[in-house]
Each structure stands twice: as structure tokens, then as C-alpha cells.
Amino acid sequence: MDDLSQDRILEVLKQVKDPSGESNIVDKGLVGDISILQGRVVFSIKVPAEQAPKLEGMRKAAEKVVSVLPGVEKVMAALTAERVPGQPAAPSSTPPLTGGGSAPSGPAATAASGKTGSSAQLDVPGISKIIAVASGKGGVGKSTTSVNLALALSELGLRVGLLDADIYGPSIPKLMGVSGKPEVLEGRVMKPMEAYGIKLMSIGFLVDEETAMIWRGPMVTSALNQMLREVAWGELDVLVVDMPPGTGDVQLTMAQKVPLTGSVIVSTPQDLALLDARRGTAMFQKVSIPVIGIIENMSHFICPDCGSRHEIFGHGGAREEAQKLQVPFLGEIPLTMELRVQSDQGRPVVIAHPESAVAQAYLTIAEHIRTSLETGEAGLSKPAPRIVIE
């Protein structure tokens, strides 16, 4: 049996004609960013932006020839659109990046075929609402907040899923106490993992903990598209997306391509974190995604011995920032030893100690979010053009 290697993959990809039909995609230098992880192969194909909508057949052909190699379990190819200077951009109705291991079916296939008003954002069948939990910087407790908010929304009676969109630093498997790999169903669709009644998907379920993810933007975007649209989520009232920290290309692409109902910004009270939270808010406003509100995490520390309160990072900064940005302030989450211990053990505090002050804070915020989702876009904050950062 041949070893699965980049050279072997390039060899079989020579069977795929390039867009001109005169050569193949390998000899033309169009194949790049090949990654092989435990039988899963990911690679990109560089094509002109104006031709990308017509080359879906070439992408599928590339996936097919690689899929028959011994040792290959799943293949994902992404068309990386490149525009020659001076040429007009591709029509806005067609996304410049096409990815995914298998063609979507149902409503997604209809949207992809151009039968809806906009194919830039394709609905995810079975999912009613999608909210992004984001932060302008790392280290503010965004993933812990995402997990406990998802569980709190579930406690309120909603059917909830949780997508870990942080490719480079997936935290959801650890926080939810889940390990293993998802089952692959018919049509190469993955069955989500499950914990505490929440359906889960994360790159952390697909690669080893020690694996360093050194993928470029197009590959990350394709992986996220697969975890969103090639997963058997079933019927969900809301999917919570734990976004990567920051406001870079991956975050912007997610905001543009995923049909987000709204976003929640997480920040700590100090000025440095608030500055980044402001940028995160501005990013969502620039792409016309309503901001459900801002959460102040680590608002204060509660001493486990004496019960006294200490404002380590200051206090009230996120509330003031929300007022300046004219977006709702959803609430404060205290920092407690209990929260840290339960998170490390994979038993989120909303489940482990639902009567605690921190769990009650998450539940209160979840009620605000549910109300916003029920009222529709009219109940969510709208963009405030003055604060958009150019």
C-alpha cells in the first residue's frame, strides 16, 4: 500500500485539467497548502476570481481523484480566488471561496445554484438562529462564556448546538469534557458530538491535541464551512458559534459567509480589552450584523474564603462602552475559583452548580439573548456608522 504523502497527492491531481484545458492543475502550479491529518486531506486550488463560479466541477474532480487513495478518509478542496490587478471583481452574489468535501443538499444546494437572492450567505438547513460569541482579543474568557451561554439557553428550553470556530485554539472539547471523533454518516456528513444535551462540533474532535494547526486563511475558511454545513445538526433553535479572537480575515469571512442572526461581544473591564471589543463591534457593524449586546466577563473576583469582592480588572467598563456604542449591555459575569475549577474539569458551572451566582448570571444573560432572538432583528441593535473604524 502506498504511503499517503504530498507527492502522492500531487501525482494523482495531475489527472485534473486546469481551467484552460491545455495542462493540469499541478503542472500549472495551482495546487497549494496541502495538509494531511489522520487520513483527512485538505488543499487549495488557485483560480482567477472571475472563473471561480464555473470551476466547481474541477474542484469536485480534484476531491474525487484524491479520495480513492489508500488511507484517505475525507478530502476537502478549496478554490482560492485570485483577481488580476485591473480586472473587475467577481459578482457579489458569488462567494470568491468555494469549499467543502461534498456538495450540499436541500436548501443549501438551492442557494448554491443561484436560485435565491444571495448566495454569499447560505442558510444551514434545520438551524433557526445562529449567534456569534466574539471578542476583539484573546484571554477574555470568550470560550467559557460561549459554553455556559449555550447551556443556559438549553436550560431555557431551546434546542442548542455549539460550533467551535477557533481552528488554532479549540477549547470546546476540554470545556465540555468530550473526547473522541465524530461518526461519519452517509454522504460523508459528520454526526455531531453531544454533551449535556448540546450538539457539538470542533476541529479539536478531528485532530490530536498536540497537532499545531498551521493552515492559511482559505483552508481555515473551508474547514469552518465543512464543520458548519457538513454536520447533521438536526433541528436547532439556535447555534452558538464560538468565534476566534480578533478581527482578522477569518473572522471577517465568517461574518460575511455565515447567516448570523446576531453577535455577542465579550470583554473584560480594563481599557485595553475594551479597545479591542470596540473593534470587534465595529467589524460586525461593517458587515451589517446586529449586535445583541456586550458582556463584561471577569467583572470582579469573589474570594472563596471570605466571600469579599475584588475588582481586579476594574469594573463597569463594558457597561460604559456599551452606552457609548449604543448597544445593549447584557450583564456581568464574576470570576470565581469554582468557575475555573469546573471549566478545567469539563463540567461547566451552569450544569455543575446551577444555583451559584455565576451560573445565575449566565442564565439571566441567556434570557436577554432569547428575548432578542424572539423579537427578531427589530429587537437587536443596529449599526452606528460613526464608530466604524476604517
Side-chain angles (χ1 to χ4, degrees):
M1 180 181 293
D2 295 332
D3 291 334
L4 186 60
S5 65
Q6 291 192 7
D7 289 341
R8 184 72 180 111
I9 291 169
L10 288 172
E11 182 182 342
V12 298
L13 283 174
K14 288 184 179 181
Q15 303 174 43
V16 181
K17 293 290 186 179
D18 74 300
S20 69
E22 299 174 356
S23 183
N24 62 76
I25 60 176
V26 175
D27 290 342
K28 281 290 188 178
L30 304 182
V31 179
D33 299 320
I34 298 177
S35 175
I36 306 170
L37 294 169
Q38 297 182 333
R40 292 172 174 81
V41 179
V42 182
F43 58 92
S44 61
I45 306 173
K46 293 177 289 186
V47 298
E50 70 279 2
Q51 294 186 27
K54 305 175 184 178
L55 298 177
E56 177 66 7
M58 182 186 71
R59 184 187 71 79
K60 289 182 178 180
E63 288 183 341
K64 184 175 181 179
V65 298
V66 174
S67 68
V68 300
L69 287 174
V72 173
E73 296 182 5
K74 194 167 184 65
V75 184
M76 184 166 59
L79 295 183
T80 306
E82 294 187 346
R83 181 163 60 93
V84 177
Q87 288 185 341
S92 59
S93 62
T94 303
L97 179 66
T98 304
S102 59
S105 59
T110 302
S113 66
K115 296 180 180 179
T116 64
S118 172
S119 60
Q121 291 188 345
L122 307 182
D123 289 338
V124 183
I127 299 179
S128 177
K129 309 286 185 182
I130 304 178
I131 62 173
V133 179
S135 63
K137 68 187 298 293
V140 300
K142 171 185 54 60
S143 294
T144 302
T145 301
S146 298
V147 163
N148 283 285
L149 282 181
L151 290 166
L153 288 167
S154 179
E155 289 294 308
L156 295 176
L158 301 181
R159 296 167 297 178
V160 183
L162 179 59
L163 171 63
D164 187 352
D166 192 349
I167 296 294
Y168 299 114
S171 303
I172 299 305
K174 174 71 173 177
L175 290 168
M176 293 292 278
V178 180
S179 59
K181 298 188 181 300
E183 178 185 352
V184 179
L185 306 175
E186 184 179 356
R188 302 165 108 184
V189 173
M190 291 181 288
K191 181 180 179 180
M193 307 295 276
E194 235 179 286
Y196 309 115
I198 304 292
K199 294 183 178 180
L200 311 169
M201 183 50 62
S202 168
I203 196 70
F205 297 134
L206 305 176
V207 301
D208 292 333
E209 282 187 11
E210 295 79 13
T211 300
M213 303 302 294
I214 48 177
W215 292 354
R216 293 179 179 174
M219 299 178 72
V220 173
T221 304
S222 293
L224 290 173
N225 184 65
Q226 179 183 340
M227 290 194 296
L228 177 67
R229 294 190 169 89
E230 296 187 20
V231 171
W233 293 108
E235 297 294 325
L236 296 179
D237 296 310
V238 59
L239 177 67
V240 177
V241 180
D242 179 25
M243 294 281 282
T247 55
D249 177 67
V250 173
Q251 292 83 355
L252 183 59
T253 301
M254 281 287 291
Q256 290 175 327
K257 303 303 180 187
V258 177
L260 296 174
T261 307
S263 59
V264 173
I265 306 297
V266 180
S267 179
T268 46
Q270 72 267 39
D271 291 342
L272 184 60
L274 292 170
L275 177 63
D276 292 310
R278 191 177 307 138
R279 294 192 180 105
T281 303
M283 179 194 72
F284 284 111
Q285 291 176 329
K286 290 193 75 169
V287 292
S288 300
I289 293 174
V291 178
I292 297 174
I294 295 179
I295 296 173
E296 181 169 287
N297 197 33
M298 308 183 200
S299 181
H300 53 273
F301 173 67
I302 300 176
C303 176
D305 297 324
C306 64
S308 60
R309 167 176 170 150
H310 303 274
E311 297 174 353
I312 299 174
F313 301 111
H315 177 258
R319 183 188 295 272
E320 293 177 5
E321 195 65 31
Q323 293 174 347
K324 292 177 184 177
L325 301 179
Q326 299 179 3
V327 299
F329 179 68
L330 295 177
E332 303 174 356
I333 304 295
L335 176 61
T336 67
M337 290 293 292
E338 177 185 53
L339 176 61
R340 195 275 302 167
V341 170
Q342 296 299 335
S343 296
D344 285 347
Q345 293 178 351
R347 283 186 52 78
V349 69
V350 167
I351 294 297
H353 296 285
E355 75 291 342
S356 65
V358 65
Q360 290 300 310
Y362 281 122
L363 286 165
T364 299
I365 292 173
E367 288 176 351
H368 290 316
I369 293 174
R370 181 180 65 174
T371 299
S372 293
L373 295 177
E374 288 175 347
T375 57
E377 288 192 355
L380 304 176
S381 70
K382 296 299 181 181
R386 289 188 302 170
I387 68 147
V388 171
I389 300 172
E390 298 293 348

